[in-house]
Every structure is written in structure tokens, then in C-alpha cells.
Amino acid sequence: MNSIEKKSQIVAGIDVGSAMTKVAILETKEIIAQAMSPTLADPRLAVKLALEKALQEVNLSQNDLGFIVTTGYGRRAVEFGNQVITEITANAKGARFLGSPLGQVRTVIDLGAQDSKVIKLNENGEVIDFIMNEKCAAGTGRFLEVMAKTLDIKFEDLGEFSLKSKNPVKINATCTVFAESEVISLIVQKKKREDILAGLHHVIAKKIADLARAVTPKEVVFFDGGGAKNIGIKRSLEEELGLKIYVPEEPQFVIALGAALIASELLHANARS
Amino acid sequence: MANEVVMFKKIFKKLKEVELKEKGFEKRYPLKRVSAFEKKEEFKKIFLEQGERNLELMQKIPNRAKNMAYFDEIWKLEKRVKEIEDFRKAGGKVIGTFCNFVPEELIYAAGCLPIRICAGFYETIEIAEEILAKDICPLIKSSFGFKLVELPYFSLCDLVIIPTSCDGKKKLGEILSDYLEVWPLELPNTKDSSQSKEFWFQEIKIFKKRLEKLSGNEITFSKLKKAIELCHLRQVVFHRFDEIRQSTNPLISGRDALLVTQVSFFDDLRRWTEKTKKLCQELTENIKKNLGIYPAQTPRLLLTGSPIIWPNYKFLNIIEEFGGIVVGDTFCSGTQHLYNPVEIDEWVMEEMLKAIAERYLLPSICPCFIESNDRIDNLLQMVKDFKIDGVIYHQLRLCQLYDLEFYKVKQILNRENIPLLRIQTDYSQEDIEQIKTRVEAFLEMIKSKKYEFY
Ligand code: SF4
Ligand code: SF4
């Protein structure tokens, strides 16, 4: 394969999220590399770092990319992309592509750092409705991050830790600020941390389920975003919705993957025209 | 028996008298006025700047009709304010109105000038919140703020008429009555029962009498006929304008269309009709010359929900700058404001008044009435007529009526497979990024449906 042909086959999807920037590189619809980098205050730098990391893995340079689609809240911060797409469309695309062993995906729930969203798909996998959380941080990853600090548990360990709980505490507040003080008073009352945590997972799951109900979700629910790695939330959400939920292997890359898939479609569409 | 009849007649007469009483606010507990008058110039400047910013975007639209230039100029206060001031100096009365229930025909016939003062300006909200409850919709707060800073056109009004539509409007009247004369116009809660119609008809009759008293001009048959005809002509032109927007080759942006409509809130009736007619002629030419403003495949959107009012066009800017076009709306501040003409069967005073009463009540799709069916009919009809790809439900935060109607509208549109997006927002700029994501995603969803793409 000569280099021009090779280039035309390789595309990238870049998901500039509020916390993490993720990159997926595809060659003829096959993931060949992915990487991420914290977005922090500089989305441009994050994109550069994540993209370099991913390209290095497969010994390529940016010039080898035939098409780049950017998505996520910082989607317009990337100057060199060929097309901008919203995370809704990208997410649906990624989820549809990965599918689920539990049956056809009809709902996608994404729990990101700063927002959560629910996408409804029809039998053909097309987006027919979607909803995103309102301004506040309740029901997003940020909420859990704050709580992890308050409880002094590592963010990555939250899920497993909560499984130890036998007696989840009922937490009333959904606002991040109020919930934090409620958690502090529970700690003072010597409640077990795993029980508090399980209660918090329940709060988030309830918030997301409320959001999801607005679009009348159907099975199978495809659960992704960084938050989907938390097994505690997945279980609470299953309970709350009463629907089968599937979490893909690397839930935080689904949107970047979707963007890359769209990139490869657009590449071919352009090549044809 | 005979006695009873007499008594009954007496009671009935009494009832009639009570019914025909002019409604107003007695000044039993007058309050001290709060005024932010000193800030007037500052606010005026910001108001004009915001408008300019909208215009900058709108003027960049390719193939924009040249006849829009008139509308671009006239909202800038200066010219029209001067005209209205002169009108007042000559003894004319200016009547501020809210909503779209106040019969303009009668106002014109009395030689007065109606101006709709529902406002869409963010900056006057904060000062209004010193007095009005924080948790009411921005439209009401913004409008009231105009009075506090004495900004045109509110500052030019001799009195204000407030229909008792939503709760916010109902209560605004009493508060405003400390600032200037306020006439409440009492609406029934249903439209089509005979009691409602009769009640509303009486209300209109009282209104006529009051106008005569206020202006010192009798509303004669010929004056009223003239006013009805003038407004009718305007509506005819507006119908043509609305029809043009049905063209599958988009000829005018939703922003321009709304600006044209909203200039009619305060502009000279004859001149507006003339200018809009010219605009329609140009647009008709443009159809022949195939001078569309956006590509023909641009997703065609219908807006419904709480009114959008100049200069708060942030939402429209987002939609149209990101590849959609608003081809129709059901706003009381848009199409609904001018759509329905008074239809006269018989040119006699009583019938004319009846026709006026009907025109302002029956076609209304305002959510302040107990049923939303007419609004849904209207939506579904427009989806067909305007070849709509998706409906956007604009809901001003804290507007309960539109919030409550959402559920039913959503179920019906879902059933008809009409894509629907709800945006809850206010007049501030802080949620622009969130709105962008939602609108863009909605447009992508429509495009993928239309072109099997993504
Ligand atoms: S929707 Fe009804 S109550 Fe609200 S401003 Fe319009 S006419 Fe008035
Ligand atoms: S937007 Fe809603 S709350 Fe505000 S004036 Fe109109 S109907 Fe009333």
C-alpha cells in the first residue's frame, strides 16, 4: 500500500470533553489507536497531546490523517479539523457501531464530567430524540468527583467501594453543594463510607433516570462516558430504570470513536464526489 | 308573581350595570414609585447596541432583501420616537398594550395610537426585580423595567392596557397602576362558550366607551369602518408575507421575518403596510430569480412556545447561524400578532363590534385558555403548509403555561413523527453554549433523517 492510499484510509475522531480530551484513530473502520489527555484550561493543548500520543502508538503523523472530525464541548477549539459534529450524533454513531450483546441498542445514556445526556434511537439506529441535563452539576461526573474528595476515596475506586455497602444511606440533597454538607454530617454521624457512597450513587442514578424518562427509554440501554466505568452507578441505574444496561469495554472512548466513524464516512463521501 | 318579575328585572338591571362597570385599580393604598430614570441613556445605548449586533449578523445573510433596510432603520427609536412625540404634542393619546388581545381597530378609530410594549431586553430585568417577584418570566420583568427607566416606547404611553392572560400579566397591572393609568382587559378562561363570548363582547363594548371618553372622539361608524379596513389591508399584506415563507427556496430568514412583524408593534400603520408590501414584491421577484438566502435543503424549523421579542434574538441567531432556518412560528409576538383580520358580515356597528371581539378571542392560541387543542391544530397545520422538518419549543423559564402545555404537544408531535426539541431559556447570555449544542444536535438529527447521513 503506498502512502497516499494509506493516508486516505486513516481518520481521527477527537472528543474535546470538559474534563478529558479523547482521540480515536481508525483505519477502515478498525480502531488502531486511542489516547486521552486532561482538557484542563487549554483544550488546544489537550488535543495536541492526545493526538500525538495516539499517533505515536501506530507510528503515524498528523499528515497521515485523511479526515478529522471534532466533537464535544470544545469541538470548535480545534482549528485543523475537517468537520465539527455534536457529541449527540457522535455518541449515537459510536454506540450503534459497538452494539450490545444484550440486544439492539435503543437508548444511549452518557455520563460525562459536566453533563449527562440521553439519546433515543429507533429500530434503524437513528436518533429520534435526545435530552441533556440542565445547567446544574447534579447527576454528572463532577458531582461524584466532589463527593469522592469529601469521602476521601479515590475516584476510580468509587464503584467497587460502594459494592461493599449493605445499608445504603438515603441522601436527600441533589444539589452538589447541599449534598456535600449532607455527606459531611453523615460522616460526623459515623455512617459507613460505603453506605454513604451507595446513597450518592443512588442520587445520581435517580437524576439520570429522571432525565431519561423524558424520552421514554427502551431496552437495551447503552451506558457510556467516564461515569459508566462506575459499577455502583450502573447497578443503581438499572434498578431505577428497570431496564437492561450494557456498558462497553471502554465507555469513555465511545464518542471519539463515533466521531472517527463519521470521519471515515465523510472521507468516502468526499472521495466519491 | 308580577312583583317577582319586577324584582327580577331590577336585579337583572343591576347585574347589567355591574357588568358594564369600567375596570381599573382604585388607589386605596398608593405606593411610592421606584424609579431608575437617571439610567435611561445608558440603557438606551445598550439596547441599540444589542440590536446592532443582531443586525450585523442578519445583514450578512446572502441575497437578503434590499427592502429590509427600512426595518433595519426604523427600530432604532430616533425617527419613530420623534413622530410619536409630535403626535402627543398635537393632543394624541398613545396606548401601550400587552399580549395580542387588545383591539387595535378601536384604538385607531378613537384617533389614538396603539403600541405593543411586551419587551425582550435583558438589561431592564434586574431593576424590575427590585419590585416584581424574581420568579416570574423575563418578558414581564423586562417590560416593567422599560417603565422604570422610562425607555421608549413605554415612556411614550399615556396609559396601558393589560389583558388578564397569564398570572404574571394579571398582577403586573396593579403594580403598574402606581406609575400610570392601567386598564385591565378581562379575558374569559375559555373561548368558545356562549357565556365567554358574551362576557368578552361586553368587555369590548366597555373598552370602546372608555376610549371615546379618553380621546374625546366618538367612535363613529365611518371611523371604525376606516380603521377596520386599514388593519385588514395590513393583514392581507401580512398573509402574503407569511405565504412567501412557505416557499421551499428560503427567501427570508426567521430573524428578518420576526423583525418585520415586531416593527409593526410601534410603526405607523399605513407606512408599515406599504413597506411590507414592497418587501413582498421584492421577495416574489427573488423567487423567480431563484435568489434563495440559504440552500434549499436547509432544515426548515417551526418555532412555538413563549414569545421571542427584539432584541433578544439569541436563540434565533443560534438556529440560523448553525444551518437551520425558521420558516414559521406560532408566537403571539410573531405570526399570531398579525395573522387574523376582522371579518365583517354586515356593516352595522353592533356587528362590527362583534366581529372585532371575535377576531381577538377565537383564533387565539395563547396558553392562558384552558385548552391547548387549537394551538396543536395550528402547529400540525403549519407543519404541513410550511413543509417543516422539526419543531422547536421555546420556553421562557418560569413561564408555567407553556411548561404545562409541553407534555401534550410532545406526545402529539411524537405520534406524528415530527422531531421536537425543547429549549428552556431566558434573556441572559449565559446558556448560549448549551443551547448551541442542543440546536446543532437537533439539526444534525434532521439532516441525517433527510439525507441519510452520519
Ligand atoms: S402567550 Fe399569551 S399571555 Fe403570553 S404574552 Fe402571548 S398573548 Fe400574552
Ligand atoms: S411568557 Fe409565559 S409567563 Fe411570560 S407573559 Fe407570556 S405567557 Fe405569561
Side-chain angles (χ1 to χ4, degrees):
Chain A
M1 197 188 273
N2 69 36
S3 75
I4 293 171
E5 260 175 60
K6 187 173 159 201
K7 174 175 168 170
S8 70
Q9 302 292 332
I10 300 173
V11 296
I14 307 176
D15 169 19
V16 190
S18 57
M20 280 287 176
T21 294
K22 291 132 276 189
V23 169
I25 300 195
L26 297 192
E27 182 168 5
T28 45
K29 298 215 169 183
E30 192 110 8
I31 306 170
I32 56 170
Q34 52 191 30
M36 58 177 160
S37 177
T39 306
L40 302 175
D42 191 351
R44 283 187 187 83
L45 180 66
V47 169
K48 188 170 171 273
L49 293 177
L51 191 59
E52 271 172 12
K53 226 192 285 175
L55 287 167
Q56 260 166 25
E57 269 180 42
V58 278
N59 263 325
L60 293 171
S61 78
Q62 208 176 306
N63 287 332
D64 297 316
L65 297 172
F67 208 95
I68 300 171
V69 166
T70 59
T71 186
Y73 108 108
R75 60 193 175 278
R76 287 184 210 284
V78 192
E79 296 98 347
F80 53 78
N82 302 93
Q83 174 82 35
V84 175
I85 238 94
T86 64
E87 52 268 42
I88 305 277
T89 305
N91 200 345
K93 188 83 189 176
R96 202 160 64 214
F97 178 78
L98 292 173
S100 119
L102 306 176
Q104 198 194 1
V105 175
R106 294 298 297 277
T107 308
V108 181
I109 295 182
D110 174 84
L111 179 53
Q114 250 172 33
D115 49 53
S116 43
K117 52 183 177 293
V118 183
I119 307 168
K120 196 173 172 181
L121 308 175
N122 65 9
E123 312 83 46
N124 306 325
E126 294 157 354
V127 178
I128 45 169
D129 204 354
F130 64 87
I131 187 160
M132 297 173 84
N133 70 310
E134 292 293 316
K135 280 183 231 168
C136 95
T140 70
R142 183 73 79 234
F143 176 85
L144 262 198
E145 226 174 82
V146 173
M147 300 310 148
K149 276 211 191 83
T150 319
L151 287 169
D152 195 21
I153 305 169
K154 270 219 227 119
F155 187 71
E156 306 81 70
D157 300 341
L158 289 174
E160 288 298 328
F161 200 99
S162 70
L163 295 185
K164 287 197 276 183
S165 164
K166 300 213 170 54
N167 249 325
V169 173
K170 178 156 174 38
I171 292 178
N172 300 304
T174 48
C175 157
T176 313
V177 179
F178 291 161
E180 193 181 8
S181 51
E182 198 172 334
V183 166
I184 291 171
S185 79
L186 289 167
I187 295 173
V188 174
Q189 290 167 38
K190 297 245 167 0
K191 295 275 187 218
K192 288 201 181 118
R193 285 192 302 166
E194 58 265 32
D195 290 341
I196 302 176
L197 186 57
L200 286 168
H201 284 159
H202 197 74
V203 169
I204 295 198
K206 202 173 151 353
K207 264 276 177 191
I208 300 172
D210 283 347
L211 195 66
R213 275 184 208 110
V215 301
T216 33
K218 284 194 174 156
E219 280 182 327
V220 169
V221 177
F222 186 99
F223 184 31
D224 65 21
K229 289 210 286 192
N230 182 321
I231 176 85
I233 296 181
K234 183 204 169 211
R235 293 211 181 152
S236 299
L237 194 55
E238 241 159 2
E239 227 171 85
E240 198 55 55
L241 286 174
L243 298 173
K244 273 187 271 175
I245 294 181
Y246 171 69
V247 177
E249 231 165 84
E250 290 185 283
Q252 69 276 41
F253 279 104
V254 178
I255 297 179
L257 167 65
L261 288 164
I262 292 169
S264 84
E265 273 172 30
L266 290 174
L267 179 71
H268 288 117
N270 283 1
R272 272 199 307 273
S273 62
Chain B
M1 191 64 195
N3 249 348
E4 265 172 40
V5 172
V6 171
M7 214 167 83
F8 187 75
K9 273 193 176 154
K10 261 191 191 158
I11 292 174
F12 194 70
K13 200 168 155 232
K14 191 122 198 170
L15 270 176
K16 267 249 140 109
E17 276 164 17
V18 173
E19 237 178 80
L20 289 178
K21 187 177 160 223
E22 293 179 355
K23 288 160 197 169
F25 298 96
E26 37 169 310
K27 301 278 159 47
R28 204 181 308 169
Y29 301 107
L31 296 181
K32 204 172 140 259
R33 294 184 190 188
V34 173
S35 161
F37 184 70
E38 326 79 62
K39 294 185 181 163
K40 178 175 173 171
E41 287 309 313
E42 215 176 287
F43 280 97
K44 203 162 134 188
K45 205 174 132 231
I46 304 173
F47 179 79
L48 292 173
E49 278 168 7
Q50 284 186 8
E52 280 301 336
R53 243 175 285 141
N54 289 336
L55 276 188
E56 255 168 52
L57 290 172
M58 288 151 70
Q59 284 164 348
K60 278 196 205 124
I61 300 171
N63 295 333
R64 185 175 190 251
K66 311 231 164 12
N67 279 291
M68 279 307 297
Y70 169 75
F71 303 94
D72 289 357
E73 259 330 288
I74 195 73
W75 71 268
K76 286 180 189 164
L77 305 175
E78 217 175 313
K79 179 177 157 126
R80 188 60 186 147
V81 166
K82 173 86 180 35
E83 288 173 357
I84 296 174
E85 277 167 354
D86 290 346
F87 172 80
R88 291 182 81 195
K89 270 185 211 139
K93 296 279 185 209
V94 178
I95 300 184
T97 68
F98 281 99
C99 299
N100 58 356
F101 295 105
V102 185
E104 295 193 340
E105 288 81 356
L106 287 170
I107 298 179
Y108 284 122
C112 305
L113 183 71
I115 291 182
R116 181 161 172 192
I117 48 180
C118 292
F121 184 40
Y122 174 67
E123 314 306 317
T124 50
I125 290 180
E126 205 181 309
I127 37 168
E129 279 176 344
E130 279 178 36
I131 300 166
L132 296 182
K134 265 196 166 27
D135 287 348
I136 56 165
C137 93
L139 190 158
I140 293 172
K141 288 186 284 198
S142 173
S143 310
F144 182 56
F146 268 69
K147 183 64 202 165
L148 294 180
V149 277
E150 293 292 356
L151 267 185
Y153 293 94
F154 206 148
S155 59
L156 300 173
C157 294
D158 293 289
L159 78 118
V160 162
I161 300 175
I162 306 189
T164 56
S165 48
C166 66
D167 281 359
K169 293 268 168 70
K170 266 181 207 154
K171 300 311 290 182
L172 177 64
E174 186 173 23
I175 293 169
L176 257 179
S177 70
D178 279 316
Y179 294 79
L180 79 168
E181 190 172 348
V182 177
W183 297 355
L185 192 65
E186 205 170 334
L187 282 171
N189 288 318
T190 58
K191 297 187 298 182
D192 37 20
S193 70
S194 52
Q195 312 94 288
S196 296
K197 278 194 227 161
E198 181 54 29
F199 175 86
W200 178 241
F201 184 44
Q202 296 299 343
E203 200 67 15
I204 297 299
K205 279 188 165 145
I206 304 167
F207 179 54
K208 172 178 170 272
K209 283 217 186 87
R210 283 186 106 168
L211 280 170
E212 290 172 328
K213 233 197 285 175
L214 174 89
S215 63
N217 301 326
E218 194 194 336
I219 298 180
T220 59
F221 171 82
S222 63
K223 279 186 195 156
L224 186 56
K225 181 158 186 271
K226 180 103 206 148
I228 291 176
E229 283 166 351
L230 275 177
C231 291
H232 199 280
L233 195 63
R234 173 181 67 179
Q235 256 81 335
V236 168
V237 170
F238 186 75
H239 265 227
R240 174 70 195 129
F241 184 57
D242 194 57
E243 220 172 67
I244 289 173
R245 296 175 75 194
Q246 297 182 4
S247 155
T248 41
N249 187 7
L251 298 158
I252 184 161
S253 69
R255 289 168 283 181
D256 279 344
L258 212 58
L259 176 61
V260 169
T261 312
Q262 294 180 353
V263 161
S264 81
F265 288 5
F266 53 80
D267 199 10
D268 178 80
L269 175 61
R270 286 190 182 85
R271 186 171 60 203
W272 185 92
T273 309
E274 206 36 58
K275 297 288 181 187
T276 308
K277 200 167 154 189
K278 276 218 182 102
L279 174 63
C280 288
Q281 280 159 359
E282 183 183 356
L283 293 173
T284 313
E285 285 297 307
N286 287 354
I287 301 183
K288 288 185 208 138
K289 291 191 221 145
N290 205 10
L291 284 178
I293 54 161
Y294 296 134
Q297 64 269 31
T298 303
R300 301 167 65 81
L301 303 168
L302 173 62
L303 287 191
T304 187
S306 319
I308 287 181
I309 300 168
W310 182 270
N312 175 39
Y313 279 17
K314 71 165 183 187
F315 187 44
L316 300 167
N317 285 332
I318 294 175
I319 296 173
E320 300 196 323
E321 294 296 311
F322 281 100
I325 179 169
V326 175
V327 291
D329 68 72
T330 71
F331 293 151
C332 69
S333 64
T335 305
Q336 282 294 314
H337 187 72
L338 293 178
Y339 196 74
N340 302 290
V342 173
E343 298 288 358
I344 309 287
D345 292 332
E346 206 184 331
W347 287 97
V348 289
M349 199 49 148
E350 187 81 354
E351 289 305 312
M352 284 149 76
L353 288 175
K354 235 182 217 147
I356 288 174
E358 279 183 3
R359 178 263 180 250
Y360 284 92
L361 184 67
L362 296 185
S364 173
I365 51 171
C366 172
C368 69
F369 298 106
I370 61 171
E371 268 187 303
S372 57
N373 296 336
D374 288 351
R375 175 160 166 239
I376 293 172
D377 282 348
N378 182 275
L379 269 174
L380 295 176
Q381 189 59 45
M382 284 187 82
V383 166
K384 263 199 217 116
D385 295 346
F386 289 77
K387 297 150 213 98
I388 295 298
D389 295 311
V391 174
I392 303 190
Y393 199 105
H394 170 260
Q395 198 210 312
L396 285 178
R397 271 179 212 289
L398 304 167
C399 168
Q400 292 173 333
L401 293 174
Y402 279 110
D403 204 355
L404 285 161
E405 281 197 352
F406 179 71
Y407 176 76
K408 190 166 177 189
V409 170
K410 179 176 168 103
Q411 301 309 315
I412 306 292
L413 292 187
N414 278 357
R415 206 170 67 193
E416 304 284 323
N417 281 322
I418 301 163
L420 172 69
L421 172 72
R422 161 150 76 164
I423 297 288
Q424 286 167 291
T425 183
D426 51 27
Y427 288 1
S428 74
Q429 302 284 313
E430 59 179 44
D431 56 359
I432 281 197
E433 287 307 316
Q434 278 114 323
I435 296 180
K436 274 185 194 164
T437 304
R438 287 160 173 79
V439 168
E440 279 183 80
F442 188 64
L443 293 173
E444 285 167 6
M445 180 176 124
I446 289 171
K447 280 189 213 154
S448 69
K449 212 173 120 180
K450 231 173 158 174
Y451 311 110
E452 298 177 12
F453 192 47
Y454 304 143

